[in-house]
Amino acid sequence: MRSMTSNGAPGHPKRSDVLLIEDDVLQAHEIEAHLARQRFTVRKLVGGSDSLHNIARFDPRVVIVDYHLPDIDGMTVATRVHRLAPQAAVILMSGRIDFVPCEALDRSGVVAFLRKPINLGQLRRLVSRLVKNPSLTRKELGAPLGWPFSLRR
C-alpha cells in the first residue's frame, strides 16, 4: 500500500486533515485537488479494507467514504472507521443511492451523507467545519432529518 499526499509525495505517518476513500480516480482527483487548494492535507486510498488497515497511521480529522467500493461497502467502512478512530468525522457519499435512514447513519458514526455529483463548495464548507471540530454531530451541522441535506453555512 502506498498513500499519496496532495503534493504527490509518498505518505508518511502524520496527522491528516482528510482521508478520502474513493475508487473513482477522476472523482478522487477532483475532490483532492479542490480540498488541497483550500490548504487541507488530503490522503487518498482506493479500497475500504486498505483504509481500515491504515486509519491509525493517517490519524484523519475527517474521513470521506464512497458508498460503493470494490472490496467492501461504504457503510461497513464508516462503521469500522468510527470504531477505530472515533475522533474522526465520517462523511458518506454516493451517486447510486439517494437515501440512507438517519438511524443507520447514526449507528455508523456518519455525520453527513452527500449525493454525487458532489457540490465541491458544499463539501469544502462541511470539511472546513469538521476539521476545526470533528466532534460536531449531524444536528450541530444543521442537517435536517431528511437526507441528503444542504449545508447553508
Side-chain angles (χ1 to χ4, degrees):
M1 193 289 310
R2 184 171 173 224
S3 71
M4 300 297 276
T5 60
S6 59
N7 67 4
H12 298 286
K14 71 174 201 174
R15 179 149 213 157
S16 304
D17 291 326
V18 178
L19 175 59
L20 174 61
I21 307 165
E22 169 64 78
D23 62 318
D24 181 315
V25 176
L26 293 176
Q27 179 81 60
H29 177 72
E30 180 182 37
I31 292 171
E32 177 191 30
H34 182 75
L35 294 176
R37 278 193 301 274
Q38 305 302 317
R39 307 259 191 257
F40 294 113
T41 304
V42 180
R43 309 265 185 177
K44 289 188 303 190
L45 293 172
V46 174
S49 297
D50 202 20
S51 64
L52 295 173
H53 293 295
N54 290 285
I55 191 82
R57 184 172 156 226
F58 297 138
D59 191 22
R61 296 178 195 282
V62 178
V63 179
I64 303 171
V65 183
D66 184 23
Y67 189 87
H68 293 281
L69 295 168
D71 59 342
I72 188 171
D73 72 88
M75 284 297 287
T76 301
V77 172
T79 301
R80 291 183 184 167
V81 164
H82 184 61
R83 268 191 243 133
L84 295 169
Q87 75 286 354
V90 180
I91 299 170
L92 187 65
M93 60 183 181
S94 178
R96 297 182 188 161
I97 60 171
D98 292 330
F99 180 82
V100 177
C102 292
E103 299 80 20
L105 294 170
D106 289 342
R107 279 192 311 273
S108 297
V110 175
V111 297
F113 173 80
L114 301 175
R115 287 175 44 199
K116 293 180 181 178
I118 296 296
N119 176 320
L120 293 175
Q122 179 186 40
L123 180 63
R124 176 187 39 77
R125 289 187 298 275
L126 180 59
V127 167
S128 180
R129 291 187 67 198
L130 290 169
V131 164
K132 290 176 189 168
N133 187 357
S135 64
L136 287 173
T137 64
R138 178 172 44 86
K139 188 173 184 176
E140 291 168 328
L141 287 167
L145 293 176
W147 288 70
F149 71 92
S150 62
L151 188 64
R152 295 184 195 96
R153 295 181 189 168

